[in-house]
Amino acid sequence: MKILILSGDYVEDYEIYAPLKALEMLGVDVHVVCPDKKAGDKIQTSLHFMDGWQTYTEAPGHPF
């Protein structure tokens, strides 16, 4: 089975990483694509940390 994941640049880190790794553990052939990126380009991800009641800090995640 093959699956194509569509992603945007600066996507939430775990919204792409967790499903990718779970599908790979099941033996699925997974490919991730992002508009305006070429094969081999990195997709920058982001991490959000909840700082308080309704605020958060956005930080760079892993280059994917």
Side-chain angles (χ1 to χ4, degrees), residues 38-56:
K38 297 181 178 114
D41 286 353
K42 299 287 185 188
I43 299 171
Q44 182 60 52
T45 63
S46 65
L47 296 169
H48 293 93
F49 301 100
M50 300 308 291
D51 295 329
W53 180 244
Q54 292 183 345
T55 61
Y56 65 90

Side-chain angles (χ1 to χ4, degrees), residues 7-27:
S7 172
D9 208 13
Y10 220 65
V11 64
E12 177 68 34
D13 194 88
Y14 294 110
E15 288 179 359
I16 193 169
Y17 188 74
L20 172 75
K21 291 302 174 187
L23 290 166
E24 286 178 344
M25 286 190 318
L26 296 171

Side-chain angles (χ1 to χ4, degrees), residues 3-4 6 11 17 25 28 34 38 42 57-59 63:
I3 292 183
L4 179 66
L6 302 175
V11 64
Y17 188 74
M25 286 190 318
V28 177
C34 180
K38 297 181 178 114
K42 299 287 185 188
T57 301
E58 187 174 73

